[in-house]
Amino acid sequence: MNNNETQVALSHVNQQGEANMVDVTEKSLTSRTATAQGFIKMTPQTLALINQGENKKGDVFAVARIAGIQAAKKCSDLIPLCHPLMLSKVQVNFVIDEKLSQVKVTSLCRLTGQTGVEMEALTAVSVACLTLFDMCKAADPAMEIFGIKVLTKEGGKSGSWQAKA
Protein backbone atom coordinates (compact mmCIF):
# COMPACT_ATOMS: atom_id res chain seq x y z
CA MET A 1 0.00 0.00 0.00
CA ASN A 2 1.41 3.42 -0.93
CA ASN A 3 1.08 6.67 1.04
CA ASN A 4 -1.92 7.85 -1.01
CA GLU A 5 -4.03 4.80 -0.21
CA THR A 6 -6.01 4.38 2.97
CA GLN A 7 -6.56 0.99 4.50
CA VAL A 8 -10.21 -0.05 4.60
CA ALA A 9 -11.32 -2.30 7.43
CA LEU A 10 -13.18 -5.42 6.37
CA SER A 11 -16.62 -5.21 7.96
CA HIS A 12 -17.33 -8.95 7.80
CA VAL A 13 -14.29 -9.94 9.88
CA ASN A 14 -14.16 -9.30 13.63
CA GLN A 15 -11.10 -8.38 15.74
CA GLN A 16 -10.15 -12.07 15.99
CA GLY A 17 -10.29 -12.53 12.20
CA GLU A 18 -13.50 -14.55 12.36
CA ALA A 19 -16.42 -14.23 9.93
CA ASN A 20 -18.96 -11.80 11.31
CA MET A 21 -22.42 -10.63 10.18
CA VAL A 22 -22.41 -6.85 10.49
CA ASP A 23 -24.82 -5.46 13.10
CA VAL A 24 -27.05 -2.89 11.37
CA THR A 25 -29.45 -2.45 14.30
CA GLU A 26 -28.55 1.19 14.90
CA LYS A 27 -28.38 2.21 11.24
CA SER A 28 -31.13 4.50 9.95
CA LEU A 29 -33.73 3.33 7.49
CA THR A 30 -32.98 4.98 4.15
CA SER A 31 -33.95 4.43 0.54
CA ARG A 32 -31.25 2.35 -1.14
CA THR A 33 -30.77 1.41 -4.77
CA ALA A 34 -28.09 -0.49 -6.64
CA THR A 35 -27.61 -1.38 -10.29
CA ALA A 36 -25.34 -4.01 -11.79
CA GLN A 37 -24.48 -5.42 -15.19
CA GLY A 38 -22.98 -8.47 -16.81
CA PHE A 39 -22.57 -9.87 -20.31
CA ILE A 40 -22.91 -13.22 -22.03
CA LYS A 41 -21.17 -13.72 -25.37
CA MET A 42 -22.38 -16.40 -27.77
CA THR A 43 -22.28 -17.38 -31.41
CA PRO A 44 -24.34 -15.32 -33.85
CA GLN A 45 -26.43 -18.45 -34.53
CA THR A 46 -27.33 -18.82 -30.85
CA LEU A 47 -28.23 -15.15 -30.59
CA ALA A 48 -30.45 -15.56 -33.67
CA LEU A 49 -32.24 -18.51 -32.02
CA ILE A 50 -33.01 -16.32 -29.01
CA ASN A 51 -34.08 -13.33 -31.13
CA GLN A 52 -36.39 -15.45 -33.27
CA GLY A 53 -37.90 -17.28 -30.28
CA GLU A 54 -36.72 -20.62 -31.65
CA ASN A 55 -34.90 -21.96 -28.59
CA LYS A 56 -36.31 -25.41 -27.79
CA LYS A 57 -36.50 -24.60 -24.07
CA GLY A 58 -38.87 -21.67 -24.61
CA ASP A 59 -38.76 -17.92 -23.96
CA VAL A 60 -35.15 -17.51 -22.89
CA PHE A 61 -35.42 -13.91 -21.70
CA ALA A 62 -38.65 -14.46 -19.72
CA VAL A 63 -37.13 -17.38 -17.83
CA ALA A 64 -33.81 -15.57 -17.22
CA ARG A 65 -35.67 -12.45 -15.98
CA ILE A 66 -37.67 -14.47 -13.46
CA ALA A 67 -34.53 -16.34 -12.38
CA GLY A 68 -32.69 -13.06 -11.79
CA ILE A 69 -35.56 -11.61 -9.75
CA GLN A 70 -35.83 -14.78 -7.67
CA ALA A 71 -32.05 -14.81 -7.13
CA ALA A 72 -32.05 -11.25 -5.77
CA LYS A 73 -34.79 -12.27 -3.32
CA LYS A 74 -32.73 -15.30 -2.21
CA CYS A 75 -29.35 -13.55 -1.99
CA SER A 76 -29.00 -14.01 1.78
CA ASP A 77 -29.52 -17.77 1.31
CA LEU A 78 -26.61 -17.86 -1.15
CA ILE A 79 -24.09 -15.41 0.32
CA PRO A 80 -23.44 -16.39 3.95
CA LEU A 81 -23.07 -12.99 5.63
CA CYS A 82 -25.71 -11.05 3.66
CA HIS A 83 -28.70 -9.76 5.58
CA PRO A 84 -32.13 -10.99 4.48
CA LEU A 85 -33.76 -7.95 2.87
CA MET A 86 -37.32 -6.90 2.07
CA LEU A 87 -36.74 -5.75 -1.49
CA SER A 88 -39.35 -3.35 -2.82
CA LYS A 89 -38.18 -3.49 -6.46
CA VAL A 90 -36.14 -5.88 -8.58
CA GLN A 91 -35.80 -5.32 -12.30
CA VAL A 92 -33.79 -7.35 -14.81
CA ASN A 93 -33.32 -6.19 -18.41
CA PHE A 94 -31.57 -7.46 -21.53
CA VAL A 95 -29.96 -5.57 -24.40
CA ILE A 96 -28.96 -7.57 -27.46
CA ASP A 97 -25.79 -6.51 -29.25
CA GLU A 98 -25.80 -8.32 -32.59
CA LYS A 99 -22.53 -6.69 -33.68
CA LEU A 100 -20.64 -8.19 -30.71
CA SER A 101 -22.89 -11.27 -30.53
CA GLN A 102 -23.65 -10.77 -26.87
CA VAL A 103 -26.38 -9.87 -24.42
CA LYS A 104 -25.95 -7.20 -21.76
CA VAL A 105 -27.87 -8.04 -18.60
CA THR A 106 -28.68 -5.26 -16.13
CA SER A 107 -30.43 -5.27 -12.79
CA LEU A 108 -31.86 -2.72 -10.41
CA CYS A 109 -32.64 -3.49 -6.78
CA ARG A 110 -34.34 -1.09 -4.36
CA LEU A 111 -35.58 -1.01 -0.78
CA THR A 112 -35.94 1.13 2.29
CA GLY A 113 -33.68 -0.45 4.85
CA GLN A 114 -30.54 -0.44 6.95
CA THR A 115 -28.12 -1.99 4.49
CA GLY A 116 -27.33 -1.74 0.80
CA VAL A 117 -28.52 -3.88 -2.08
CA GLU A 118 -25.35 -4.26 -4.15
CA MET A 119 -25.11 -8.00 -3.52
CA GLU A 120 -28.72 -8.50 -4.57
CA ALA A 121 -28.13 -6.58 -7.82
CA LEU A 122 -24.99 -8.63 -8.54
CA THR A 123 -26.78 -11.88 -7.74
CA ALA A 124 -29.68 -10.98 -10.05
CA VAL A 125 -27.31 -10.34 -12.96
CA SER A 126 -25.21 -13.44 -12.24
CA VAL A 127 -28.14 -15.83 -12.10
CA ALA A 128 -29.83 -14.26 -15.13
CA CYS A 129 -26.59 -14.81 -17.09
CA LEU A 130 -26.31 -18.38 -15.77
CA THR A 131 -29.91 -19.04 -16.80
CA LEU A 132 -29.24 -17.72 -20.31
CA PHE A 133 -26.28 -20.11 -20.43
CA ASP A 134 -28.38 -23.02 -19.18
CA MET A 135 -31.15 -22.42 -21.67
CA CYS A 136 -28.76 -22.13 -24.63
CA LYS A 137 -25.93 -24.53 -23.75
CA ALA A 138 -27.14 -27.27 -26.08
CA ALA A 139 -26.73 -24.89 -29.02
CA ASP A 140 -23.59 -23.17 -27.75
CA PRO A 141 -21.58 -24.75 -24.90
CA ALA A 142 -18.72 -22.25 -25.42
CA MET A 143 -20.68 -19.17 -24.30
CA GLU A 144 -18.78 -16.81 -22.00
CA ILE A 145 -20.12 -14.82 -19.05
CA PHE A 146 -18.04 -11.76 -18.17
CA GLY A 147 -17.97 -8.18 -16.91
CA ILE A 148 -20.22 -8.61 -13.87
CA LYS A 149 -19.98 -5.50 -11.72
CA VAL A 150 -21.88 -2.93 -9.68
CA LEU A 151 -22.69 0.17 -11.74
CA THR A 152 -24.27 2.43 -9.13
CA LYS A 153 -25.38 2.54 -5.53
CA GLU A 154 -27.44 5.18 -3.77
CA GLY A 155 -28.49 5.75 -0.19
CA GLY A 156 -27.15 5.03 3.23
CA LYS A 157 -24.39 6.80 5.10
CA SER A 158 -21.95 6.66 2.20
CA GLY A 159 -24.39 8.25 -0.25
CA SER A 160 -24.11 7.76 -4.01
CA TRP A 161 -21.39 5.91 -5.90
CA GLN A 162 -20.93 5.24 -9.61
CA ALA A 163 -18.48 2.92 -11.36
CA LYS A 164 -15.86 4.55 -13.53
CA ALA A 165 -16.58 4.18 -17.24
Side-chain angles (χ1 to χ4, degrees), residues 11-26:
S11 61
H12 288 78
V13 179
N14 67 16
Q15 294 292 337
Q16 293 75 39
E18 301 164 334
N20 174 50
M21 186 171 177
V22 175
D23 185 355
V24 297
T25 305
E26 301 302 319

Side-chain angles (χ1 to χ4, degrees), residues 6-165:
T6 57
Q7 188 169 357
V8 176
L10 298 175
S11 61
H12 288 78
V13 179
N14 67 16
Q15 294 292 337
Q16 293 75 39
E18 301 164 334
N20 174 50
M21 186 171 177
V22 175
D23 185 355
V24 297
T25 305
E26 301 302 319
K27 290 177 92 178
S28 299
L29 289 172
T30 60
S31 177
R32 296 163 184 266
T33 303
T35 61
Q37 77 176 13
F39 297 86
I40 183 165
K41 187 165 185 59
M42 59 193 66
T43 65
Q45 296 82 3
T46 302
L47 193 58
L49 280 176
I50 295 171
N51 271 336
Q52 297 161 8
E54 294 178 4
N55 185 293
K56 291 180 182 177
K57 290 188 176 183
D59 187 339
V60 173
F61 289 131
V63 174
R65 178 174 286 113
I66 292 168
I69 292 168
Q70 284 297 107
K73 292 165 52 177
K74 292 296 214 172
C75 184
S76 67
D77 291 338
L78 301 169
I79 311 294
L81 300 176
C82 281
H83 294 85
L85 302 179
M86 291 294 297
L87 296 168
S88 57
K89 174 73 175 171
V90 179
Q91 184 175 321
V92 176
N93 292 312
F94 307 97
V95 176
I96 297 168
D97 185 336
E98 290 181 8
K99 184 177 174 185
L100 295 175
S101 192
Q102 66 187 24
V103 177
K104 178 173 141 180
V105 181
T106 59
S107 70
L108 174 141
C109 292
R110 181 175 293 139
L111 60 66
T112 298
Q114 295 167 296
T115 188
V117 291
E118 298 91 336
M119 294 308 301
E120 288 71 15
L122 288 167
T123 301
V125 164
S126 299
V127 171
C129 285
L130 289 168
T131 302
L132 290 172
F133 189 100
D134 180 54
M135 294 198 64
C136 299
K137 68 184 180 236
D140 189 359
M143 288 177 288
E144 181 182 345
I145 296 169
F146 65 98
I148 296 173
K149 68 179 184 176
V150 174
L151 295 176
T152 64
K153 74 171 237 50
E154 297 174 18
K157 185 172 70 173
S158 61
S160 296
W161 177 87
Q162 186 168 349
K164 294 179 182 174

